[in-house]
Amino acid sequence: MQPYHSNVMASAKNPASIHLPIRRAVIENVRPEIDGGRFPIKRTPGEKVEVTADIFADGHDLLSARLLYRVQDQPDWSIAPMREVVNDSWVGEFRISRQERHIYTIQAWPDAFKSWVRDLKKRQDAKQDLSLEFLAGAELVAQAAARSSSTENAAALREFARQFRELHKDDPDTAFAIASSEELALEMARCPDLAAATIYERELAVEVDRERARHGAWYEMFPRSCTNDPTRHGTFQSCIERLDYISEMGFDILYLPPIHPIGEVERKGKNNSTERLPEDAGSPWAIGSSLGGHKSIHPQLGTLDEFKKLLAEARRRGIEVALDLAFQCAPDHPYVREHPEWFRIRPDGSVQYAENPPKKYQDIYPLNFESEHTEALCEELKSIALYWVRQGIRIFRVDNPHTKPFAFWEWLIAEVRGECPDVIFLAEAFTRPKVMYRLAKAGFTQSYTYFAWRNTKWDLTEYFRELAQTEVREFFRPNLWPNTPDILTEYLQYGGRSAFVIRLCLAATLGANYGIYGPAFELFENRALHSGSEEYLDSEKYQIRAWDIRRPDSLKDLVAKINAIRKDNIALQSDATIRFHEVDNDQIIAFSKASDDRSNSIVVVVNLDPHHRQSGWIELPLDYFHLDMHQEYQMHDLVTEARYLWHGSRNYVELDPQRMPAHIFRLRRRVRSEQDFDYFL
Amino acid sequence: MQPYHSNVMASAKNPASIHLPIRRAVIENVRPEIDGGRFPIKRTPGEKVEVTADIFADGHDLLSARLLYRVQDQPDWSIAPMREVVNDSWVGEFRISRQERHIYTIQAWPDAFKSWVRDLKKRQDAKQDLSLEFLAGAELVAQAAARSSSTENAAALREFARQFRELHKDDPDTAFAIASSEELALEMARCPDLAAATIYERELAVEVDRERARHGAWYEMFPRSCTNDPTRHGTFQSCIERLDYISEMGFDILYLPPIHPIGEVERKGKNNSTERLPEDAGSPWAIGSSLGGHKSIHPQLGTLDEFKKLLAEARRRGIEVALDLAFQCAPDHPYVREHPEWFRIRPDGSVQYAENPPKKYQDIYPLNFESEHTEALCEELKSIALYWVRQGIRIFRVDNPHTKPFAFWEWLIAEVRGECPDVIFLAEAFTRPKVMYRLAKAGFTQSYTYFAWRNTKWDLTEYFRELAQTEVREFFRPNLWPNTPDILTEYLQYGGRSAFVIRLCLAATLGANYGIYGPAFELFENRALHSGSEEYLDSEKYQIRAWDIRRPDSLKDLVAKINAIRKDNIALQSDATIRFHEVDNDQIIAFSKASDDRSNSIVVVVNLDPHHRQSGWIELPLDYFHLDMHQEYQMHDLVTEARYLWHGSRNYVELDPQRMPAHIFRLRRRVRSEQDFDYFL
């Protein structure tokens, strides 16, 4: 069969002739490197990129290696040293300073000078005659002087070479001292011999996002439910009135479900009923009606100017507004009339509605990415995102991205970020792991996770080890949600108020990015549509709800406290350092995050059992936290302000879910002051 | 700093515009793929290539995927199906039929027809009206007919489409039966819609060697020690006289240390003494003298014609002769005079001898691959290999390849195999693992291993899992040597005769390729130069030795038996299927090799303790060996011809090293014959 005639060259071809100079150093197994360099890793300014590689050469020479890195559009490389760790494995790192795409690669070469110094020491130890060796060294140093671009460096090297020649026979001790001196090593390192250096065959990219991509607390809220009156439709103005409440809780991002006109045709009633009443508000995700589509605003919410006022008022409180990108249409969306070619047509001429057989979603028409009209469709979808960017939106939560092609997202996200690099895309894909990871590789800044369904210590530990301690961490930024309008887990349904506290503490500390869907969450709304369902009863997706946000049992003060702790502790603003710690009780999970120098170290201990008091012994790695085996240290509970003195690696914890099921400890080391009393820093 | 201005495009670039059609299927994590496709995997004709990949797309469509493979220089692809195993992971395989480099890649696409059939069944189960669905199906089938290149296929499909249209309203049951029929599925599979199929972005290579690369028994022998008289220098003629002995032991390859003139200058005496006597023979690895260099023959061995006679006589007995490629020179090698530019010169004008400070090897001059004369040097070295290829040599054992650049070997091996694809290169590199693996990637057909120093069950198991069950197996072919002229391990020095038997059994069964250095091995020569040394006392490297090969305690008959077992059992002719099996005694190791269909299954059980009887219970995976839990099976010891009846997965073994420390079992399943008695096959 002849299905496909290749005109691609085979990847592994025989070299035609020996290439000179022979580049003896080999650089392989470079990490991070996503899919052979096909995708970038992700960072924010201030974060470091630690690069490891296997580097070696034939023979016994010592090697030198360094990281080369630069902003993509700048020609000049910066340099960071690499050092051998063990067994031909090398490491180096650089820090991202600007919010621009960076490139990195590795350079390595056999270092004749370093090898000469090493061998010289061995010969000296064996009491061999070194006179010829000093002449060989003089030659190496003189060659370095000749290639140096600095006259001062060259002069210094020429002087060293002269000394070797002068002393080589008569004063080997002085010559040896010079050869092994720091001064000579430094001058030599200024002009390495790179003529036969190896450059790694790929240049690897770092996509750099703004800091908000790395950490933020999200609050999801239905604008139409902001009035405290289920019969009165909320507006952007009522959202503005609720901003102080949200701001007091310390949220960074206010995420609104779609704000566009809601379809009238096939509109669903309350609790997703196919029989709707005239007053039913419909699902905001059934986008488009005679009143407009994805670039329009649902009139009951207000005008574009009022929307912009909401953005401004939010911004004044340090809050960004995130919008929903839900690329699908209600039957009466203008696209259906104006661009029927963007949809699939059934054999009877009707437009194909969404299906997951045998389920039918007649109120939703999916877009068709497999027609000859796809290019125009893609351009239109891009124009939707850019329209809202121009209104001031910098964060999109993308609805069901896994039902549109990966190549479409890779293109769209690159296009939008090409115009505005600040834009953040959060992928709402709850599907198979490889699909979720591929969306992240394709460009999504952040991703929803399986967190909502990971409730046991084993499940949480396994999952977060995968997310934070494997290559996944390089491209997939988790955003943890204990609930969403689609997800009311069994754990929350049956665990009572403590369950909400437990899940809040876990989400806000395991995840530098996390969010809650409120006010349902802080008011621990836990009524499901029916037993076995994760849908809310009287879900806001289909109706306006009134929430008594001033209820005295609200979790809002705890939320505020925890968000404040997140802001005060940089350890919680990154997921790079998550470590799990042993506790001899499967109901208690313990983990930590710490700043690079451990000056900010947070240890979180959570009782996962919402019903019973649990206790156990926790084991902390003292070395890692720079703690002394013989010195006590203070565990400062940032929620309750209680302070415990701990000693050694093994300490007792006890947590009563009826009071507080979690400790969020700041670990404080003892400092002996001049005033002769101790305190903890 | 501006050390290096890149003109390489960044690997991960934003796409400029959306490419149409959008190729929805994603193919990633393709295995085997060595270093992003930089190096080929290795196979021999008859071996299969099993390829796995993660394959998925957006949405809910079912996918189809297939392997494309071809001989590199042929344009047309062959096709092998792939199937999903679990969780978006797919597998397929093809078999290598010719000794030519092959290329493979993967093609995948959303399969609208398969998805339609799946959905149709769900709709049917939900008792939905299917009439429109049959029309949609008719359209899919008609489109397939239109793109089919076979008129017969197209006609069949048009008929199916007609039936769907005819039956869609009035006879949904018949239409459904047709839709889910095997006939329709087969016709549809003949003309898949590949317009938007994804081809994996890399084409991957398979280097195909001749069968001898996969399995062979090597015998290393010093030709000069073939006379039974330590004062008489052996010749090619004495080698010929020893061929029957080697042939009776069943060896496939006779490997000779260098046969070239041996340097006179700085020649070493017996036991590597720097004081030589006039009659000392010198080391064959100190190559070159006034009598010639790498293309010459040491006159005391004979002439080129006599050498060719040896090759012919060996060939007549099914034995190939392997030569040593040792690219280094004695001080009086002609190159030193004729091409001083190929060596390093010391500051006093003398040629740099080999060193590993503080050790000096004044009898060896290494070649310099870092000068402006390197190209001429490389061409000369290539001409050495090709010279011996033209004399009939097809196997080279390469001395210390890790002291010459990887790029040199990659070039040399490709060049030589370009002229003669049958040539096998065995890398004698005992160095760090990454260096050894890189040499294998660079082109060495086979490699020496750490086998000699892996003596405990844990060490052997870990090591052979790494070699046979990780990606290493794809490019690194182990060749196991219990001893070499450089390696007399402690285990052999102190373990007595049993130690030799144990190591022989392990080498010959763990390794499809193995070798011994004899007659030292079969005569269990175990005298070391001194305690703590792995050098032989009175090593043949520096002197002629006489061996009494007719000693009654020789292991030659056991060697012959084991080599015969290797020839009779294809399971032992490959390393792909090594599996280790539990034994509840750390002194007993058990492992198996089996043919694809398990019709040839070999189970090896070895007592690693050369001094004491050991016993234990071995656990075999019955399913894997296609054994019935309730049926006994026969373990036929191919060495002793003893036959044991085993039952179930757990059975008792006991091995006395004074008698025989190993079982090499052929596992025989019971067959009930028509004559009413049982036998085992």
Side-chain angles (χ1 to χ4, degrees), chain A residues 323-334:
Chain A
L323 277 198
D324 201 306
L325 276 189
F327 287 151
Q328 56 192 21
C329 297
D332 40 339
H333 192 296

Side-chain angles (χ1 to χ4, degrees), chain B residues 465-491:
Chain B
R465 285 203 173 126
E466 175 171 327
L467 295 185
Q469 295 171 9
T470 71
E471 187 187 61
V472 170
R473 65 191 264 173
E474 305 291 352
F475 58 83
F476 183 93
R477 283 203 198 89
N479 195 328
L480 312 189
W481 292 71
N483 75 333
T484 78
D486 297 316
I487 304 169
L488 173 64
T489 62
E490 237 178 21
Y491 190 87

Side-chain angles (χ1 to χ4, degrees), chain A residues 152-204:
Chain A
E152 165 231 348
N153 176 231
L157 289 169
R158 275 194 303 271
E159 172 57 16
F160 280 117
R162 192 194 61 73
Q163 290 177 341
F164 283 133
R165 283 193 206 98
E166 184 179 306
L167 303 168
H168 79 282
K169 267 222 169 87
D170 303 333
D171 190 355
D173 290 348
T174 305
F176 182 81
I178 295 170
S180 41
S181 71
E182 185 75 3
E183 291 73 25
L184 174 57
L186 285 173
E187 295 292 346
M188 286 299 288
R190 290 176 65 186
C191 48
D193 182 4
L194 302 173
T198 300
I199 298 262
Y200 181 56
E201 62 206 32
R202 285 188 273 278
E203 296 189 354
L204 305 166

Side-chain angles (χ1 to χ4, degrees), chain A residues 1-6 8 10-18 20 22 24 26 28 35-40 54 56-60 66 68 70 72 75-77 79 87-89 101 103 110 119 122-123 126 128 132-133 135-136 199 201-205 346-348 355-358 360 369-370 374-375 378 402-408 410-411 414-415 432-435 438 441, chain B residues 1-6 8 10-18 20 22 24 26 28 35-40 54 56-60 66 68 70 72 75-77 79 87-89 101 103 110 119 122-123 126 128 132-133 135-136 199 201-205 346-348 355-358 360 369-370 374-375 378 402-408 410-411 414-415 432-435 438 441:
Chain A
M1 296 176 82
Q2 314 177 20
Y4 167 72
H5 181 138
S6 162
V8 182
S11 318
K13 286 286 278 186
N14 296 344
S17 70
I18 186 93
L20 297 184
I22 293 183
R24 294 174 47 209
V26 162
E28 56 178 33
D35 293 3
R38 166 78 174 80
F39 298 105
D54 296 337
F56 49 88
D58 60 281
H60 303 292
R66 55 195 199 178
L68 307 182
R70 59 179 170 82
Q72 178 171 284
D76 296 341
W77 290 105
I79 289 168
N87 207 3
D88 300 318
S89 174
R101 181 176 270 232
I103 300 292
D119 290 349
K122 289 185 188 169
R123 296 178 208 274
Q128 293 178 354
L132 268 186
E133 295 309 320
L135 291 182
I199 298 262
E201 62 206 32
R202 285 188 273 278
E203 296 189 354
L204 305 166
R346 304 179 78 210
D348 64 354
E355 284 188 288
N356 189 6
K360 303 178 178 197
F369 289 86
E370 293 183 305
T374 296
E375 186 169 357
C378 291
H402 56 295
T403 60
K404 292 99 196 168
F406 299 98
F408 164 70
E410 192 171 3
W411 169 82
E415 291 282 299
R432 286 120 55 213
K434 286 162 190 165
V435 175
R438 180 76 180 202
K441 292 179 197 172
Chain B
M1 294 176 86
Q2 313 176 22
Y4 168 71
H5 182 138
S6 162
V8 183
S11 320
K13 285 288 279 185
N14 296 344
S17 70
I18 186 95
L20 296 184
I22 292 182
R24 292 172 50 209
V26 163
E28 56 177 33
D35 293 5
R38 166 77 173 79
F39 298 105
D54 296 337
F56 49 86
D58 61 282
H60 305 290
R66 57 194 197 177
L68 307 182
R70 57 178 171 83
Q72 178 171 285
D76 296 341
W77 290 105
I79 287 168
N87 206 6
D88 299 319
S89 175
R101 181 175 272 231
I103 301 292
D119 290 349
K122 289 185 186 170
R123 296 178 209 274
Q128 293 178 355
L132 268 186
E133 296 309 320
L135 291 183
I199 298 262
E201 62 206 31
R202 284 188 274 277
E203 297 188 355
L204 304 167
R346 305 179 77 211
D348 64 355
E355 285 189 287
N356 190 4
K360 302 178 179 195
F369 290 85
E370 292 182 306
T374 297
E375 188 170 354
C378 292
H402 57 295
T403 59
K404 291 99 196 167
F406 300 99
F408 163 69
E410 192 171 1
W411 170 81
E415 292 281 299
R432 289 116 56 211
K434 287 162 190 164
V435 175
R438 180 76 181 202
K441 292 180 197 172

Side-chain angles (χ1 to χ4, degrees), chain B residues 198-474:
Chain B
T198 300
I199 298 262
Y200 181 57
E201 62 206 31
R202 284 188 274 277
E203 297 188 355
L204 304 167
V206 189
E207 183 70 15
V208 180
D209 303 299
R210 62 187 167 114
E211 187 184 347
R212 179 53 67 227
R214 194 177 80 240
H215 65 98
W218 291 52
Y219 189 74
E220 175 172 4
M221 183 186 75
F222 284 78
R224 68 188 181 190
S225 295
C226 278
T227 60
N228 293 347
D229 173 357
T231 65
R232 194 155 58 86
H233 197 288
T235 63
F236 295 135
Q237 184 54 40
S238 23
C239 290
I240 290 170
E241 285 156 23
R242 189 155 286 187
L243 280 176
D244 285 336
Y245 170 76
I246 299 166
S247 164
E248 280 158 23
M249 283 192 288
F251 285 102
D252 306 300
I253 294 145
L254 169 61
Y255 150 52
L256 307 179
I259 59 170
H260 316 302
I262 296 173
E264 291 283 348
V265 178
E266 302 278 355
R267 180 182 286 189
K268 296 289 178 73
K270 285 180 182 149
N271 288 308
N272 200 20
S273 163
T274 48
E275 275 147 55
R276 69 171 278 212
L277 301 175
E279 70 271 24
D280 279 340
S283 164
W285 283 275
I287 296 174
S289 73
S290 59
L291 301 171
H294 284 75
K295 294 176 193 166
S296 304
I297 289 176
H298 190 57
Q300 288 182 277
L301 289 173
T303 65
L304 180 60
D305 282 342
E306 285 162 335
F307 176 67
K308 286 183 173 173
K309 189 173 164 215
L310 167 60
L311 301 194
E313 287 294 325
R315 205 175 299 123
R316 219 163 54 76
R317 292 167 176 82
I319 296 173
E320 276 191 71
V321 172
L323 277 199
D324 201 305
L325 276 188
F327 286 153
Q328 56 191 19
C329 297
D332 40 338
H333 192 294
Y335 289 162
V336 179
R337 189 169 27 86
E338 294 163 14
H339 294 285
E341 73 277 12
W342 292 347
F343 301 86
R344 285 184 198 280
I345 305 299
R346 305 179 77 211
D348 64 355
S350 64
V351 176
Q352 178 68 61
Y353 45 80
E355 285 189 287
N356 190 4
K359 284 191 254 173
K360 302 178 179 195
Y361 307 93
Q362 280 103 335
D363 59 332
I364 299 290
Y365 288 177
L367 296 158
N368 176 12
F369 290 85
E370 292 182 306
S371 83
E372 59 202 289
H373 310 287
T374 297
E375 188 170 354
L377 168 63
C378 292
E379 290 294 342
E380 175 66 18
L381 298 178
K382 179 176 109 179
S383 78
I384 293 171
L386 288 176
Y387 173 82
W388 292 107
V389 167
R390 279 193 285 276
Q391 311 317 320
I393 294 297
R394 293 291 178 274
I395 306 183
F396 293 106
R397 176 268 197 194
V398 178
D399 191 69
N400 277 334
H402 57 295
T403 59
K404 291 99 196 167
F406 300 99
F408 163 69
W409 291 119
E410 192 171 1
W411 170 81
L412 179 114
I413 293 171
E415 292 281 299
V416 172
R417 288 173 51 95
E419 295 210 13
C420 181
D422 277 352
V423 179
I424 289 171
F425 290 87
L426 165 62
E428 188 251 4
F430 293 106
T431 178
R432 289 116 56 211
K434 287 162 190 164
V435 175
M436 292 173 66
Y437 292 155
R438 180 76 181 202
L439 286 166
K441 292 180 197 172
F444 279 92
T445 325
Q446 302 181 351
S447 309
Y448 281 70
T449 70
Y450 305 143
F451 167 73
W453 303 281
R454 296 291 178 271
N455 294 294
T456 68
K457 178 162 151 181
W458 192 88
D459 279 348
L460 284 163
T461 309
E462 286 300 297
Y463 188 45
F464 282 87
R465 285 203 173 126
E466 175 171 327
L467 295 185
Q469 295 171 9
T470 71
E471 187 187 61
V472 170
R473 65 191 264 173
E474 305 291 352

Side-chain angles (χ1 to χ4, degrees), chain A residues 426-454:
Chain A
L426 166 63
E428 189 251 3
F430 293 107
T431 178
R432 286 120 55 213
K434 286 162 190 165
V435 175
M436 293 174 65
Y437 291 153
R438 180 76 180 202
L439 287 166
K441 292 179 197 172
F444 279 92
T445 327
Q446 301 181 353
S447 309
Y448 281 71
T449 70
Y450 305 142
F451 168 73
W453 302 281
R454 297 292 178 269

